[in-house]
């Protein structure tokens, strides 16, 4: 397959918000207990956090971390998780039919966000509220506890935080008003109308406590629901959410699902355009893609998925979609970070990084923030072919019948970016073809590169290959440096590649 592409750094789509590299941790399976927190493990720090997980996550950066669910959030009472750990009540969790010990609560979560933060990349907490068994009153107290200045507003909850040793407010910026309320599996399942009414109350009064917070409303990937919620909440919301899970054993059914994600995100962008045209807003409505992943193997505890190379191509495709839609999709949270649907897996003595982790590493560390408007030109018949595949949409871990078909998916998909300072040009390319190598000619046009190019690549002979305890590096990226860029570049079948050119000032 032969392709060509011209890069013009003046043609810009917009800037990727770093929050699209966000993560999600839920009280589910071994995510929190065993993944995040593992007191007593030789690999844990003084706070009980797994240091190997922290190091892996700091390397890729966690700009935003969503917690405590997910479905779990809809029956979580935050006050159970404050105070001396041995006094905290264990509760039955309706969402996952397990017992929650409550030893990891709000303060542990916020300490974990601190532990994940680096000077260049702070980790912002994102708390998902309980609109199931919880009340507005409870939500407001949670926000008081986290964000209220105890000097200016010496409320019981703000002072409680201060008594527990934290004078400065935590300033939690993001608050989600419930989770997947549209689904029958959710504690507090409601109609769009009922949810929208509740959402208005939550948004208005959360902002009464802290006008600076950003609130996220539950979107349903359904224009009826989404428009109803957006219309009724008017100017109060900051984000509308969308969740997407896909998964199949089939190679093309997996890699092509990224195109389905892109179409669903575009649909939500259109719904948001319509809502903005109807509403008097003083700021844009943003999209929080706050759960996304492959999920099909594990439908029961401990809800662990072992991701393969093919799943990494899906993840790369999702990033390409988010880059192209960067002006609207401004936050995303991979579901999930560790163990449960985790891109990381812990054992008592080791950590396994999945191929999806490596894609996040490549995109967060080697692509830039300014997205260029580029198009691939197919140069032979093979390159003009597109891919059609049956994909499986998964909702709450179950396939939604019937399987949907996506058509017209290009085998090669590329996104070019510049870093903010204009010092580096990056080109990320996915070759979805299972057997054909692609040859790509890149016309750098007037771009003044300095000599050389760095090429990061994730590929392998078997798209079903996973990383395991025995072979943790079975699928891992390689980096090579070419002193002189002569082009074209060869992209092996089933590969994700990021090329980086240093630019002349
Ligand atoms: O990530 C697992 C679950 O998937 C989340 O709890 C829920 O929001 C979604 O259905």
């Amino acid at each position: 397959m032969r392709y060509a592409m011209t890069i013009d750094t003046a043609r810009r789509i917009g800037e990727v918000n770093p929050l699209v590299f966000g993560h999600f941790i839920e009280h589910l399976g071994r995510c929190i207990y065993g993944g995040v927190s593992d007191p007593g493990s030789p690999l844990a720090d003084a706070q009980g956090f797994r240091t190997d997980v922290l190091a892996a996550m700091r390397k890729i950066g966690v700009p935003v971390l969503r917690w405590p669910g997910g479905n779990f959030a809809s029956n979580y009472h935050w006050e159970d998780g404050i105070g001396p750990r041995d006094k905290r009540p264990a509760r039955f969790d309706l969402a996952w039919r397990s017992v929650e010990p409550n030893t990891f609560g709000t303060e542990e979560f916020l300490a974990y966000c601190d532990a994940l933060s680096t000077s260049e990349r702070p980790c912002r907490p994102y708390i998902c509220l309980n609109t199931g068994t919880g009340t507005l009153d409870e939500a407001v107290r949670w926000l008081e506890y986290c964000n209220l200045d105890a000097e200016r507003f010496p409320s019981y909850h703000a002072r409680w935080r201060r008594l527990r040793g934290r004078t400065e407010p935590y300033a939690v910026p993001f608050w989600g008003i419930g989770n997947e309320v549209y689904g029958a599996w959710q504690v507090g399942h409601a109609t769009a109308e009922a949810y929208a009414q509740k959402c208005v109350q939550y948004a208005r009064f959360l902002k009464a406590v802290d006008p600076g917070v950003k609130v996220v409303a539950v979107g349903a990937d359904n224009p009826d629901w989404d428009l109803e919620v957006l219309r009724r909440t008017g100017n109060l919301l900051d984000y509308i959410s969308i969740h997407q899970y896909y998964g199949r054993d089939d190679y093309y059914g997996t890699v092509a699902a990224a195109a389905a994600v892109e179409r669903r995100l575009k649909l939500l962008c259109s719904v948001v355009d319509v809502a903005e045209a109807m509403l008097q807003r003083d700021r844009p409505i943003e999209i929080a893609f706050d759960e996304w992943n492959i999920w099909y193997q594990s439908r029961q505890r401990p809800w662990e998925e072992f991701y393969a190379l093919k799943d990494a191509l899906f993840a790369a495709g999702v990033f390409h979609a988010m880059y192209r839609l960067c002006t609207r999709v401004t936050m995303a949270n991979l579901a999930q970070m560790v163990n449960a649907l985790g891109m990381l897996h812990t054992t008592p003595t080791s950590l396994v990084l999945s191929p999806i982790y490596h894609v996040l590493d490549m995109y967060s560390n080697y692509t830039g923030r300014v997205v260029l408007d580029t198009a691939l030109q197919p140069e032979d018949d093979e390159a003009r072919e597109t891919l059609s595949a049956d994909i499986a949409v998964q909702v709450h871990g179950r396939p939604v019948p019937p399987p949907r078909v996506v058509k017209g998916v290009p085998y090669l998909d590329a996104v070019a970016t510049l870093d903010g300072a204009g010092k580096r040009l990056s080109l990320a390319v996915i070759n979805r073809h299972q057997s054909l190598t692609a040859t790509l000619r890149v016309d750098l046009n007037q771009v003044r590169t300095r000599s050389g190019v760095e090429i990061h690549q994730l590929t392998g002979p078997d798209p079903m290959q996973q990383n395991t305890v025995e072979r943790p590096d079975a699928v891992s990226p390689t980096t090579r440096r070419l002193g002189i860029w002569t082009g074209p570049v060869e992209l092996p079948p089933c590969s994700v590649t990021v090329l980086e050119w240093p630019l002349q000032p």
Side-chain angles (χ1 to χ4, degrees):
M1 301 189 291
R2 286 189 295 108
Y3 298 82
M5 154 180 247
T6 301
I7 291 189
D8 179 351
T9 55
R11 287 178 60 91
R12 299 177 176 198
I13 294 180
E15 278 202 29
V16 176
N17 191 312
L19 297 181
V20 301
F21 291 101
H23 290 272
F24 170 41
I25 53 171
E26 175 167 8
H27 292 250
L28 167 61
R30 298 194 307 128
C31 177
I32 302 288
Y33 303 108
V36 167
S37 169
D38 198 1
S41 158
L43 291 166
D45 66 11
Q47 302 187 89
F49 300 149
R50 280 285 290 239
T51 52
D52 48 354
V53 173
L54 281 173
M57 295 311 296
R58 282 202 207 102
K59 177 166 188 263
I60 63 173
V62 183
V64 55
L65 187 61
R66 181 170 181 255
W67 171 84
N71 299 338
F72 174 79
S74 299
N75 78 145
Y76 176 60
H77 296 287
W78 70 274
E79 292 182 22
D80 290 343
I82 304 281
R85 283 192 207 148
D86 56 345
K87 301 256 160 30
R88 297 185 193 173
R91 304 271 189 207
F92 186 77
D93 165 30
L94 297 170
W96 303 108
R97 306 190 66 241
S98 57
V99 173
E100 169 54 45
N102 277 309
T103 50
F104 187 95
T106 303
E107 280 167 11
E108 289 77 19
F109 168 62
L110 294 168
Y112 194 63
C113 290
D114 276 347
L116 285 168
S117 294
T118 61
S119 51
E120 306 92 74
R121 294 198 279 208
C123 172
R124 297 164 197 84
Y126 168 10
I127 289 180
C128 181
L129 293 165
N130 174 355
T131 63
T133 61
T135 60
L136 172 62
D137 192 32
E138 186 183 4
V140 160
R141 288 164 183 227
W142 201 355
L143 179 56
E144 282 181 45
Y145 188 92
C146 293
N147 287 18
L148 206 60
D149 178 346
E151 287 295 318
R152 188 150 169 243
F153 295 104
S155 78
Y156 179 85
H157 285 81
R159 281 163 50 214
W160 190 15
R161 177 197 70 234
R162 200 172 53 184
L163 273 175
R164 294 206 26 89
R166 172 82 185 203
T167 305
E168 282 299 299
Y170 286 106
V172 174
F174 303 113
W175 294 79
I177 305 176
N179 178 70
E180 296 189 352
V181 180
Y182 52 84
W185 58 88
Q186 201 67 217
V187 181
H189 170 217
T191 62
E193 196 181 344
Y195 172 69
Q197 274 172 2
K198 191 180 257 195
C199 201
V200 167
Q201 292 292 299
Y202 274 68
R204 175 163 286 137
F205 295 111
L206 289 168
K207 289 185 181 203
V209 177
D210 181 353
V213 293
K214 297 218 172 186
V215 296
V216 185
V218 170
D221 187 23
N222 167 349
D224 259 352
W225 170 288
D226 295 343
L227 205 51
E228 177 76 14
V229 170
L230 290 171
R231 280 177 47 212
R232 286 180 184 261
T233 48
N235 199 32
L236 288 166
L237 290 184
D238 299 286
Y239 293 89
I240 179 125
S241 72
I242 178 168
H243 293 176
Q244 296 276 286
Y245 293 94
Y246 291 83
R248 294 199 56 186
D249 283 320
D250 178 56
Y251 171 75
Y252 282 124
T254 304
V255 299
V261 170
E262 187 156 0
R263 290 169 199 180
R264 302 315 291 183
L265 290 176
K266 272 191 186 153
L267 176 64
L268 181 55
C269 290
S270 307
V271 171
V272 167
D273 285 345
V274 170
E276 279 188 356
M278 296 164 83
L279 298 169
Q280 313 223 303
R281 298 258 323 172
D282 59 14
R283 62 203 184 288
I285 300 165
E286 301 178 63
I287 293 176
F289 186 13
D290 58 11
E291 287 187 31
W292 68 274
N293 210 345
I294 294 285
W295 182 7
Y296 68 104
Q297 294 157 327
S298 154
R299 301 224 160 85
Q300 46 198 323
R301 68 190 67 231
W303 294 280
E304 299 193 17
E305 293 278 305
F306 293 89
Y307 296 113
L309 175 59
K310 76 179 194 342
D311 305 317
L313 266 73
F314 165 81
V318 171
F319 279 107
H320 287 209
M322 294 197 282
Y323 278 36
R324 287 188 278 263
L325 300 171
C326 63
T327 54
R328 275 282 185 220
V329 181
T330 53
M331 186 201 293
N333 306 75
L334 181 74
Q336 301 188 6
M337 196 177 93
V338 57
N339 293 337
L341 313 185
M343 60 159 194
L344 304 178
H345 284 275
T346 60
T347 73
T349 52
S350 69
L351 178 69
V352 179
L353 311 175
S354 71
I356 292 183
Y357 171 88
H358 293 306
V359 161
L360 267 93
D361 183 12
M362 289 166 72
Y363 282 74
S364 74
N365 286 320
Y366 309 131
T367 67
R369 294 296 156 258
V370 179
V371 183
L372 303 178
D373 187 9
T374 45
L376 281 165
Q377 300 299 329
E379 294 200 309
D380 61 15
D381 287 343
E382 281 169 340
R384 271 182 283 273
E385 301 248 311
T386 56
L387 148 69
S388 297
D390 283 350
I391 56 164
V393 181
Q394 307 277 338
V395 170
H396 187 49
R398 308 260 157 209
V400 184
R404 290 185 208 167
V405 182
V406 281
K407 293 185 178 154
V409 181
Y411 284 105
L412 208 68
D413 189 8
V415 172
T417 54
L418 283 178
D419 70 1
K423 286 189 184 149
R424 195 170 53 130
L425 169 70
S426 299
L427 180 63
V429 196
I430 306 165
N431 181 2
R432 298 186 173 116
H433 208 289
Q434 206 175 346
S435 53
L436 295 180
T437 296
T439 306
L440 173 61
R441 273 193 309 115
V442 186
D443 180 352
L444 292 173
N445 210 4
Q446 290 98 356
V447 186
R448 301 197 316 155
T449 59
R450 283 196 272 131
S451 65
V453 59
E454 203 153 279
I455 303 175
H456 312 276
Q457 194 161 68
L458 188 70
T459 188
D462 177 8
M464 305 301 162
Q465 182 69 53
Q466 305 166 346
N467 291 333
T468 58
V469 175
E470 297 72 37
R471 289 189 60 204
D473 296 322
V475 185
S476 61
T478 55
T479 294
R480 60 187 196 275
R481 206 165 279 118
L482 300 182
I484 308 169
W485 165 253
T486 49
V489 60
E490 302 259 294
L491 304 154
C494 185
S495 64
V496 180
T497 306
V498 178
L499 298 106
E500 283 188 284
W501 290 272
L503 298 185
Q504 288 184 23

